[in-house]
């Protein structure tokens, strides 16, 4: 390749190369690397690495909410990214999951937490089917409006129905059970043993005498066990997502997203698959909601589920890269983490965050991490462009090919333009 | 004569006051290539749409192997064995060529979320079957080397061929091609005609809409001519060539609209 590539092209090439090298590794070493990475992520809130660690807020708590939002984004990615259904009322499913947990564990019954979890998922799936059955006949913008209405209606229902706690909410939702003896303050911390945290002096780590996490006590005091729980759930959901995506179901979703009529004429029962996407997405939303209900000091009320949060969920998926599960994870983490990390900028942080959300779609409409095949296609298209010499905005030297200008990766493939 | 695979029986289709198809009857025999021709707006694609379930006829019957198709959903008709391509290419653009064909192959599959989650033997069998059939078809269309490219990145001709491969992957008995040669140069058209004959030799019955008279004459066994939603002629290519009504429809005569 003699023609000049821009910095972004080279980056994408490197990425594609990395993905290919990764795919050519033997299965055993891939598994080992994944395990090590997972271990690193489990240990992250204990390691408290400098720069990454938030100073003004509890790092474990931020890690928890990042992983929680990543989980939500992975669920919503099924609906928006795979099936192409713009669901603006995803918060509704989140709420149903949380309230099912609240009602069954505290408000009216006292079921154990891990028994309620599958029930909450089932109830949310059902609500997804009930919402989807009449509404999935409408397409595009109309679906967005209908789902927006759903999110709001659900919130208004719980605000007004006394049986669901109305405006006062539901309290005393239990934590998941402790492993080891129960904590009995001030006499015992509970759990089996303490895992110490690290503290950093510059780049020199040392064990922190004052901070540790009891294995394994779920509670309001320490969010790290919750982080471990939700990370585990996230990993399981990601595996399931991969298995389903690489099957007839995933292909049917994507075909429906690309061209519903053509999909139907190729034998895809599109309505059934859209409903399935709604139900699967709802299930993950309900699961996150259930975990959320138990983690928030055991208290939820209708104010915990504003419509704005629903929009944030959508933003996470779009920012990360709709259609790629790792994009959704990245988007969820960034949307939860960045505003907390830059808390020292006080009110400006939300302004900057909002600006970032505006700039990103302009320069990178397919998200930070679009599906790998899209990147590969982009690179191929770019190479052809350069070979044809039909480049009019070509860089003259390396100093000019910065990230500016929408000519590089900022263009979607849907324009289908070559040269 | 061979068995009739599809019968369109006295079909009328109205959109409000507009009669798009007016008492059209035609049939297709097992193993033949039937050409459906006519000037622009004659109702050729509308006829396709009635057969494949996009429109429900106002009156009349469409029968496939003796059973009625009227009222069936589009995907059900596909699963019964009728597949089609589109006049304006409608591929799944951001999926790869192979994935496009796999979607077609999935018309014969039934694995769902649970079988996929547990990688059941059925799921594995269907995936293997789909990949094998998909690659075989891409090979047949000369697209095997492009299997992993996005459909939107394929050349125009390759996209047309991929549409045919995708339709064939649903394992239809009847393959409906809606102007497959549109936008082709004479050389490409000749290749496509050879390809369509090979498709028939694989055991498919083909219904072909085409504008180019010479091309239709060369490849079809029989031809049905539509004009203004009515069937004006039917017969072998030789018959059609000499039919005064057809010549009038294509060239225009004095008292007709010119």
């Amino acid at each position: 390749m003699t023609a000049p590539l821009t910095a972004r092209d080279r980056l994408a090439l490197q990425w594609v190369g990395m993905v290919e090298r990764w795919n050519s590794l033997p299965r055993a070493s891939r598994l080992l690397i994944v395990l090590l990475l997972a271990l690193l992520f489990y240990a992250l809130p204990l390691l408290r690495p400098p720069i990454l660690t938030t100073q003004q807020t509890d790092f474990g708590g931020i890690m928890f909410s990042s992983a929680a939002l990543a989980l939500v984004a992975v669920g919503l990615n099924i609906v928006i990214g795979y099936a192409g259904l713009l669901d603006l009322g995803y918060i509704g499913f989140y709420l149903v999951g949380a309230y099912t947990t609240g009602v069954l564990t505290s408000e009216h019954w006292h079921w154990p937490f891990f028994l309620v979890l599958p029930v909450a998922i089932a109830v949310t799936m059902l609500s997804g089917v009930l919402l989807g059955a009449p509404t999935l006949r409408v397409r595009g913008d109309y679906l967005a409006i209908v789902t927006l209405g759903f999110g709001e209606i659900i919130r208004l229902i719980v605000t007004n129905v006394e049986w669901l706690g109305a405006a006062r909410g539901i309290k005393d939702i239990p934590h998941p059970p402790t492993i080891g003896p129960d904590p009995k303050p001030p006499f015992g911390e509970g759990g089996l043993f303490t895992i110490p945290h690290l503290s950093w002096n510059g780049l020199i780590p040392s064990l922190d005498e004052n901070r540790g996490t009891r294995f394994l006590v779920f509670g309001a005091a320490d969010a790290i066990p919750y982080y471990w729980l939700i990370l585990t759930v996230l990993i399981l959901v990601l595996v399931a997502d991969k298995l389903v995506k690489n099957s007839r179901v995933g292909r049917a979703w994507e075909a429906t997203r690309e061209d519903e009529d053509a999909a139907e004429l190729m034998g895809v029962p599109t309505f059934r698959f859209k409903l399935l996407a709604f139900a699967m997405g709802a299930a993950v939303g309900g699961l996150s909601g259930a975990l959320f209900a138990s983690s928030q000091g055991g208290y939820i009320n209708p104010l915990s589920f504003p419509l704005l949060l629903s929009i944030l969920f959508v933003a996470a998926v779009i920012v990360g890269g709709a259609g790629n599960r790792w994009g959704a994870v990245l988007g969820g983490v960034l949307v939860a983490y960045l505003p907390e990390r830059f808390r020292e900028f006080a009110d400006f942080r939300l302004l900057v965050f909002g600006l970032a959300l505006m700039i990103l779609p302009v320069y990178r409409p397919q998200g930070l991490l679009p599906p790998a095949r899209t990147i590969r296609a982009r690179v191929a298209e770019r190479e052809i462009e350069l070979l044809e010499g039909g480049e009019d905005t070509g860089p003259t030297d390396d100093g000019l090919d910065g990230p500016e200008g929408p000519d590089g990766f900022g263009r979607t493939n849907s324009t289908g333009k070559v040269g | 004569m061979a068995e009739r695979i599809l019968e369109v029986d006295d079909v009328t289709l109205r959109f409000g006051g507009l009669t798009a198809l007016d008492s059209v009857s035609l049939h297709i025999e097992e193993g033949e290539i039937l050409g459906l021709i006519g000037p622009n707006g004659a109702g050729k694609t509308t006829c396709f749409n009635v057969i494949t379930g996009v429109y429900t006829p106002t009156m009349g019957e469409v029968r496939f192997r003796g059973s009625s198709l009227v009222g069936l959903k589009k995907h059900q008709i596909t699963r019964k064995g009728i597949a089609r391509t589109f006049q304006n290419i409608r591929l799944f653009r951001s999926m790869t060529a192979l994935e496009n064909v796999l979607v077609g192959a999935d018309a014969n599959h039934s694995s769902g979320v649970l079988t996929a989650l547990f990688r059941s033997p059925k799921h594995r069998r269907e995936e293997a079957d789909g990949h094998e059939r998909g690659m075989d078809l891409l090979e047949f269309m000369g697209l095997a080397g492009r299997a992993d490219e996005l459909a939107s990145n394929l050349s125009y001709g390759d996209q047309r061929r991929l549409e045919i491969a995708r339709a064939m992957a649903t394992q239809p008995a009847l393959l409906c091609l809606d102007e497959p040669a549109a936008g082709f140069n004479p050389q490409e058209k000749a290749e496509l005609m050879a390809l369509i004959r090979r498709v028939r030799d694989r055991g498919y019955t083909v219904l072909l809409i085409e504008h180019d008279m010479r091309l239709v004459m060369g490849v079809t066994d029989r031809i049905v001519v539509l004009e203004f939603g009515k069937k004006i002629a039917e017969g072998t290519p030789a018959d059609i060539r000499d039919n005064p009504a057809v010549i009038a429809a294509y060239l225009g005569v004095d008292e007709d609209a010119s």
Side-chain angles (χ1 to χ4, degrees):
Chain A
M1 184 105 236
T2 49
L5 284 166
T6 64
R8 259 179 299 168
D9 291 334
R10 258 174 277 150
L11 202 69
L13 272 174
Q14 265 169 16
W15 172 256
V16 170
M18 257 169 65
V19 170
E20 267 158 18
R21 231 172 303 145
W22 166 257
N23 286 334
S24 64
L25 281 177
R27 208 182 159 82
S29 31
R30 270 194 289 176
L31 200 67
L32 189 72
I33 295 173
V34 168
L35 279 177
L36 285 175
L37 267 178
L39 200 68
L40 176 72
F41 273 101
Y42 275 101
L44 211 53
L46 303 175
L47 297 175
R48 303 179 61 80
I51 300 173
L52 220 56
T53 306
T54 49
Q55 297 307 327
Q56 300 183 14
T57 31
D58 171 35
F59 185 51
I62 301 305
M63 291 293 292
F64 168 75
S65 42
S66 302
L69 196 53
L71 180 63
V72 172
V74 168
L76 188 55
N77 180 47
I78 297 175
V79 184
I80 293 183
Y82 296 165
L85 307 165
L86 186 52
D87 182 354
L88 297 181
Y90 199 61
I91 190 83
F93 300 126
Y94 194 65
L95 185 154
V96 169
Y99 267 80
T100 308
T101 309
V103 166
L104 289 177
T105 58
S106 163
E107 184 78 1
H108 294 287
W109 291 277
H110 296 281
W111 294 18
F113 180 78
F114 282 108
L115 186 67
V116 171
L117 221 46
V119 177
I121 294 172
V123 170
T124 324
M125 269 180 99
L126 187 70
S127 71
V129 171
L130 287 179
L131 170 71
T135 59
L136 282 174
R137 293 170 204 283
V138 300
R139 292 185 188 181
D141 308 351
Y142 299 102
L143 183 69
I145 293 168
V146 170
T147 50
L148 196 66
F150 167 77
E152 207 45 17
I153 288 169
I154 289 276
R155 191 180 63 80
L156 289 173
I157 288 176
V158 297
T159 315
N160 290 295
V161 173
E162 194 52 40
W163 191 76
L164 293 169
R168 81 189 141 79
I170 296 177
K171 58 178 170 37
D172 297 331
I173 299 167
H175 297 291
T178 300
I179 296 175
D182 282 332
K184 291 187 189 63
F187 307 109
E189 295 174 289
L192 296 173
F193 50 86
T194 302
I195 306 173
H197 298 185
L198 289 185
S199 72
W200 296 77
N201 184 6
L203 284 174
I204 302 148
S206 59
L207 284 183
D208 193 331
E209 300 291 328
N210 306 317
R211 269 195 279 211
T213 292
R214 292 295 288 174
F215 189 89
L216 187 63
V217 181
F218 294 96
D222 190 351
I224 293 174
Y226 266 114
Y227 167 71
W228 288 333
L229 175 65
I230 205 149
L231 186 61
T232 311
V233 170
L234 178 64
I235 290 170
L236 291 177
V237 168
L238 281 170
V239 170
D241 181 276
K242 188 183 170 76
L243 290 173
V244 173
K245 171 78 193 309
N246 294 338
S247 78
R248 170 171 172 256
V249 178
R251 286 192 295 270
W253 282 337
E254 290 200 299
T256 308
R257 177 193 68 203
E258 293 295 303
D259 189 331
E260 195 165 336
D261 297 314
E264 185 80 17
L265 284 163
M266 289 305 128
V268 179
T270 52
F271 179 70
R272 205 185 312 158
F273 275 105
K274 286 197 289 183
L275 202 55
L276 183 65
F278 238 55
M280 301 305 283
V284 178
L287 175 61
S288 339
L291 293 168
F292 169 81
S294 136
S295 68
Q296 294 299 300
Y299 173 67
I300 52 172
N301 73 3
L303 293 179
S304 329
F305 306 92
L307 203 57
L308 190 65
L309 198 54
S310 212
I311 306 298
L312 202 65
F313 292 167
V314 176
V317 175
I318 304 293
V319 164
N324 182 358
R325 66 183 71 84
W326 295 108
V329 170
L330 180 69
V333 168
L334 288 183
V335 166
Y337 173 79
L338 287 182
E340 294 301 329
R341 174 64 186 82
F342 297 106
R343 196 167 265 279
E344 56 260 43
F345 299 124
D347 293 342
F348 286 110
R349 72 199 168 101
L350 288 179
L351 180 73
V352 172
F353 180 65
L355 270 177
L357 284 187
M358 284 169 65
I359 291 167
L360 191 98
V362 173
Y363 289 101
R364 227 183 136 72
Q366 71 279 53
L368 292 169
L369 219 58
R373 60 180 173 197
T374 315
I375 306 177
R376 223 177 293 136
R378 253 309 300 174
V379 172
E381 194 183 316
R382 184 85 179 127
E383 278 172 354
I384 293 166
E385 239 170 69
L386 290 167
L387 279 174
E388 286 173 346
E391 201 186 29
D392 40 29
T393 54
T396 45
D397 68 358
D398 274 6
L400 278 176
D401 43 0
E404 73 283 338
D407 60 317
F409 284 87
R411 200 170 69 212
T412 54
N413 279 298
S414 60
T415 58
K417 185 173 160 248
V418 177
Chain B
M1 267 293 172
E3 196 196 335
R4 291 183 170 189
I5 187 168
L6 183 91
E7 290 171 291
V8 175
D9 192 1
D10 205 16
V11 162
T12 298
L13 178 71
R14 290 199 192 93
F15 298 110
L18 179 85
T19 305
L21 290 176
D22 190 356
S23 305
V24 172
S25 293
L26 57 92
H27 68 271
I28 305 168
E29 282 160 19
E30 188 96 50
E32 76 173 341
I33 301 179
L34 179 74
L36 187 60
I37 66 172
N40 275 328
K44 304 181 299 277
T45 299
T46 311
C47 192
F48 257 44
N49 283 339
V50 168
I51 293 170
T52 52
V54 177
Y55 300 139
T56 309
T58 317
M59 277 186 292
E61 225 356 352
V62 180
R63 279 186 299 274
F64 180 68
R65 293 197 155 140
S67 65
S68 174
L69 295 181
V70 175
L72 288 186
K73 295 208 172 75
K74 288 169 271 187
H75 63 87
Q76 290 170 323
I77 293 176
T78 308
R79 283 166 168 239
K80 272 183 168 265
I82 300 180
R84 66 173 288 176
T85 63
F86 300 88
Q87 192 175 344
N88 314 311
I89 301 175
R90 296 182 74 168
L91 288 165
F92 307 127
R93 294 175 59 87
S94 68
M95 297 170 81
T96 65
L98 179 61
E99 284 171 331
N100 267 273
V101 181
L102 284 175
V103 170
D106 282 337
N108 303 292
H109 297 159
S110 61
S111 64
V113 170
L114 287 180
T115 50
L117 274 182
F118 297 106
R119 286 289 183 259
S120 73
K122 179 178 159 190
H123 168 87
R124 288 167 199 233
R125 196 174 54 239
E126 290 188 348
E127 286 292 300
D129 165 67
H131 275 87
E132 193 185 332
R133 188 139 36 97
M135 282 313 291
D136 176 53
L137 280 169
L138 290 180
E139 193 101 35
F140 178 67
M141 289 288 158
L143 294 169
R146 305 233 177 303
D148 289 328
E149 276 186 42
L150 289 190
S152 59
N153 279 14
L154 295 179
S155 71
Y156 178 78
D158 283 348
Q159 292 195 8
R160 284 245 174 248
R161 278 184 283 275
L162 179 57
E163 265 217 329
I164 300 176
R166 182 180 66 176
M168 286 170 75
T170 65
Q171 292 196 310
L174 174 63
L175 184 64
C176 304
L177 305 176
D178 195 347
E179 297 204 22
F184 276 13
N185 65 34
Q187 166 73 21
E188 289 171 318
K189 280 187 181 175
E191 284 169 15
L192 185 77
M193 288 306 121
L195 183 76
I196 291 174
R197 267 188 228 106
R198 270 185 285 136
V199 168
R200 188 256 301 272
D201 294 343
R202 277 196 158 203
Y204 297 89
T205 304
V206 179
L207 172 58
L208 174 69
I209 290 184
E210 186 47 65
H211 236 67
D212 190 318
M213 283 292 259
R214 199 182 319 159
L215 200 135
V216 179
M217 297 293 165
V219 74
T220 52
D221 299 312
R222 254 175 354 109
I223 292 176
V224 168
V225 189
L226 294 180
E227 190 194 17
F228 299 124
K230 285 192 183 119
K231 184 169 85 174
I232 58 167
E234 181 176 1
T236 62
D239 295 341
I240 295 297
R241 191 178 299 135
D242 302 328
N243 189 314
V246 178
I247 297 170
Y250 265 83
L251 301 177
V253 288
D254 287 344
E255 57 272 20
D256 259 18
S258 50

